[in-house]
Amino acid sequence: MAVIMRKWTAGWNCLIIAGLFVVISSTSVTRFTQYDVSHIARYTGKNSFKEHTLFHPFPDPSQSVRHGHSGRGSLRTWAKQVAENNLKWFNQLKKQNGLADARYGDYTPENVAQPFALQTLSGSALRFPSTMFSNMSVFVHAYNPFSGFLESLWNSRDSLKSLLVNSTNNSHYIFISKSSNASSDAVWMRNQFTKAIKSIESRNQVQYAMATMSRLHFVVTPLYELGNWLPAVFKEWLCQDHNCGLDQAVISRESSLSPNIIPRLDAHYDWLPSPQSVFGTKTLKLVSTGTDGCKVLETVNGTVAMVSDGGCSYFQKVHAMQTSGAVGVLVVPLPGQPIEDMKCLGLECSVQLKIPASMVRYESGITKFLLTPGAMNLTYQTTPCDNFFMAIDTRGHLAEVGWFLYPSFQFLVWQAQWFNYKDQLNARLSQPSTIVNVYNRTVLQGQHGAVAMVTLPPQKVLQQYSKVELDMSLSCFGSRDTTCPHWDHTLQLFVCCDNSSVLCGMEIGRWISPFRRRIGRWLTDVSSLLPMLFNPNNQCQFSMHSPAWAMPWVPSLNLRFSKSTGQAASVPHEIQVLYQPGGTFNKKYNSLFKPVNFTVPKGVVKVEIVAVITGHGSDENGCGEFCVTSHHFVVNNYTYAITFNNAGTPLGCADRVPEGVEPNEHGTWLYGRDGWCDGQQVNPWVIDVSKQLSFAGQNTVKYFGWFNGTDPNPKQSPGIIILYSYLVYYKSV
């Protein structure tokens, strides 16, 4: 098989394959400047990155392009010779490596995954693509034995069981070791899953786990000997932050020439601060207590306390050491025990601790090192390494997996669920509809946001449609998740079709951006709000806004108009604004909203209240983002209410991945929120209030919002509620 190495040279991405020097141009792996692009186009006539793909045996002809050392004629002669000389070589390479086209080395997410073959414990070659993988997602995991995070991932029974019991039934998982003992590692990994199955008590779950086990594949060849393109993807998709790279504790003595560098795993992501965020690269004093750290010790004041596992909970250890004046805790597992994910349990989590804690691998050499007299120093470091995970979606396209916030295979399950959601979404998008484009990879940033003037079908045509949907996707400037904005923000879409109308500038759609992921796409049904798009001139201005200071997103948006199979009895004809835009969620909140009196227009046969409500910010109760709030519309003394019980739950939004929440984001995306989730659309709350109305006389509607069954009354830093609500009047067709 071809030997593959990667080389960077002055803006060109190069592969050395079987002795050939290959220049590969792509949007993801090549660092082109505008100077490069203009010169490539000038000398070769190629107008895009993807068109310019040359294979050549020369050291670096790019210098002639970049610095003008060769004229147009000589470069074209060179290019012709290269094409002729390398055509045979390239065809041979395709045959040897199973390449489908000349884009070998272009590992941009969403590109088609190239073929590969792997030897597994089953004794037969595992080949992709094949009928086995038809309409299946495929996850590939590169096991690195030097990672404390992966040590915990593979030794946690809960982690292993989550994959076996929760996996989608159309996912395959391939496990490859990076060590020279790949065959032994493959057996060990398979045995870990086998042991996990034996710990499952439910008979139905055991049967499901066995079915999942049939889709697990354990490769006996080390990653560095595969002879295909997979190692290059792991290398190119270098992971950053959250359990990426090799987290290590560096322990040294002044009397020792070489330090001990030990794999470490920091405490659960949402429990304690990370040591590197607190200490950076500082050298700290380390004291080995010789105890389990469950009791207060005066000797650790001002130091990082090294304690043994066991004896009490991790919370009790850290609390005792913090009380002792320690600035951090280093936990060493008992002999023969693996690194564990340290976290608080139950009511312990309500007590906030301020010092970081980590667990390091137990190594026999460490014991001797610690028993040697003399002061010890500690430094926290992370050594970069290749990614641990990649995926191929059900369409056979490359895909990133995102970030694992803690060591659990459940994160692969969530990504698999999202692949299935995307398939269902694509099926909906394939249905007949009239599409009007609003944004096409438009930059969203700054005070003015993204603005577009759009021509719509005439009102008579619009009223023939029974469904209106917002097809929204949210991407980033680059082709990788790491190029995305770091924080979640509220994205609001406003529309104005008539400057003289009270509907001008009202909200028609709302989304919450994810933490650093670029895969989101959602359909939001806003059929009730169709009258917001009526205009005699058929022109509407759409404006999308996020906080002006936020990093830029790149949204695309289509309006989709479609007809139902049957004849609609009525259609939305007119809209009246009720309450907007919300307010500060404090004791004065409900005083902002006065009763609205209205009469139903003639010819109306149905009336709806349409409201979009989300809570943000955080007071001492977590309001409005993480607290449970209820919202009430009272129509002629009849109350309609919605309660956001999902808020503050540990996995409230993770459980909604099948509904479109972007999985494995960089931040705290797992928690339920008050009426929303990171990386998802906010669906309107639509209430048919027709039965409570007088169609001949006056009606009254009131609104109020509660926390804990009463008016909010925070003592500090009150949050906000964003509220847009409308009365929608329907007439018969």
Side-chain angles (χ1 to χ4, degrees), residues 602-659:
K602 291 183 179 181
V604 169
V605 298
K606 186 173 80 169
V607 180
E608 290 177 341
I609 291 177
V610 178
V612 179
I613 308 170
T614 54
H616 308 268
S618 183
D619 59 21
E620 71 273 15
N621 300 307
C623 288
E625 183 169 345
F626 293 112
C627 72
V628 175
T629 64
S630 61
H631 301 270
H632 312 255
F633 285 95
V634 182
V635 180
N636 294 340
N637 296 321
Y638 186 89
T639 301
Y640 298 89
I642 188 171
T643 301
F644 297 133
N645 290 312
N646 197 45
T649 55
L651 298 175
C653 286
D655 290 339
R656 296 185 179 182
V657 169
E659 302 170 24

Side-chain angles (χ1 to χ4, degrees), residues 113-330:
Q114 300 300 326
F116 61 81
L118 301 168
Q119 293 295 324
T120 67
L121 285 176
S122 68
S124 58
L126 185 71
R127 298 185 182 278
F128 176 90
S130 66
T131 55
M132 175 190 293
F133 297 118
S134 178
N135 297 318
M136 295 276 189
S137 58
V138 180
F139 293 87
V140 187
H141 167 40
Y143 172 69
N144 188 324
F146 298 104
S147 167
F149 162 73
L150 293 183
E151 179 175 319
S152 177
L153 178 88
W154 277 98
N155 283 281
S156 166
R157 197 60 54 85
D158 288 340
S159 167
L160 297 162
K161 287 166 61 175
S162 69
L163 185 68
L164 292 167
V165 174
N166 300 330
S167 173
T168 60
N169 59 13
N170 63 332
S171 300
H172 283 261
Y173 304 88
I174 300 173
F175 305 103
I176 309 171
S177 176
K178 297 190 69 174
S179 81
S180 58
N181 300 315
S183 58
S184 298
D185 287 345
V187 173
W188 173 78
M189 288 187 282
R190 183 181 62 183
N191 290 342
Q192 292 296 95
F193 280 111
T194 302
K195 293 176 184 177
I197 291 177
K198 293 179 180 179
S199 69
I200 300 173
E201 296 180 358
S202 167
R203 182 175 179 180
N204 290 338
Q205 287 188 346
V206 169
Q207 291 177 344
Y208 194 90
M210 292 298 293
T212 302
M213 193 75 180
S214 69
R215 300 190 305 276
L216 307 186
H217 311 281
F218 305 93
V219 178
V220 297
T221 310
L223 185 71
Y224 58 83
E225 291 181 356
L226 292 182
N228 57 35
W229 54 272
L230 291 175
V233 176
F234 288 111
K235 182 174 292 295
E236 189 168 298
W237 291 8
L238 184 70
C239 187
Q240 300 176 8
D241 304 326
H242 294 322
N243 297 307
C244 298
L246 304 177
D247 289 338
Q248 297 155 337
V250 182
I251 302 175
S252 61
R253 291 183 180 275
E254 295 180 0
S255 59
S256 176
L257 295 177
S258 60
N260 271 53
I261 302 176
I262 316 165
R264 80 168 204 274
L265 177 66
D266 299 332
H268 204 71
Y269 81 103
D270 60 352
W271 179 35
L272 300 176
S274 72
Q276 285 179 286
S277 68
V278 175
F279 304 121
T281 58
K282 291 181 180 178
T283 299
L284 307 165
K285 185 179 179 182
L286 176 68
V287 170
S288 178
T289 66
T291 73
D292 55 21
C294 297
K295 297 181 180 180
V296 175
L297 299 169
E298 296 180 357
T299 56
V300 300
N301 184 47
T303 72
V304 175
M306 178 177 279
V307 301
S308 65
D309 198 3
C312 59
S313 71
Y314 294 123
F315 169 83
Q316 290 172 305
K317 289 180 189 294
V318 179
H319 185 267
M321 293 301 98
Q322 178 175 291
T323 304
S324 303
V327 298
V329 180
L330 213 59

Side-chain angles (χ1 to χ4, degrees), residues 462-538:
L462 289 178
Q463 287 181 307
Q464 297 176 9
Y465 296 109
S466 58
K467 179 172 283 189
V468 184
E469 295 173 301
L470 304 176
D471 173 15
M472 165 76 161
S473 59
L474 196 60
S475 189
C476 311
F477 276 112
S479 59
R480 296 282 315 285
D481 289 337
T482 52
T483 66
C484 296
H486 297 183
W487 294 101
D488 56 337
H489 297 292
T490 303
L491 310 181
Q492 293 177 271
L493 179 68
F494 303 95
V495 63
C496 181
C497 298
D498 182 353
N499 288 327
S500 63
S501 170
V502 293
L503 294 176
C504 178
M506 290 294 106
E507 182 190 82
I508 193 173
R510 192 183 308 171
W511 300 262
I512 309 298
S513 67
F515 297 93
R516 300 186 77 181
R517 293 222 70 183
R518 56 178 295 280
I519 58 176
R521 189 172 185 178
W522 314 273
L523 273 179
T524 309
D525 190 335
V526 293
S527 302
S528 300
L529 303 181
L530 176 65
M532 295 180 74
L533 305 178
F534 294 165
N535 182 358
N537 299 320
N538 306 326

Side-chain angles (χ1 to χ4, degrees), residues 34 96 117 138 142 158 217 220 244-245 255 259 304 364 376 398 449 509 515 558 568 592 685 706 725:
Q34 188 59 44
Q96 293 172 4
V138 180
D158 288 340
H217 311 281
V220 297
C244 298
S255 59
V304 175
S364 57
M376 291 187 293
L398 294 173
F515 297 93
N558 289 329
L592 300 174
W685 176 27
W706 276 352
S725 57

Side-chain angles (χ1 to χ4, degrees), residues 374-429:
M376 291 187 293
N377 295 321
L378 170 67
T379 304
Y380 296 93
Q381 71 176 25
T382 297
T383 299
C385 73
D386 301 347
N387 210 320
F388 301 140
F389 303 96
M390 61 158 287
I392 301 171
D393 67 19
T394 55
R395 301 171 301 152
H397 293 187
L398 294 173
E400 294 181 275
V401 176
W403 283 270
F404 284 46
L405 297 184
Y406 52 88
S408 174
F409 279 114
Q410 180 63 38
F411 288 90
L412 294 186
V413 174
W414 284 319
Q415 185 65 41
Q417 291 175 346
W418 192 87
F419 286 149
N420 287 350
Y421 157 79
K422 188 66 178 292
D423 288 343
Q424 296 167 5
L425 176 64
N426 287 334
R428 293 172 62 189
L429 292 171

Side-chain angles (χ1 to χ4, degrees), residues 31 48 65 128 338 379 574 585-586 596 638 679 697 717:
R31 307 299 191 265
S48 73
V65 177
F128 176 90
T379 304
E574 182 182 342
F585 200 55
N586 57 17
V596 174
Y638 186 89
S717 306

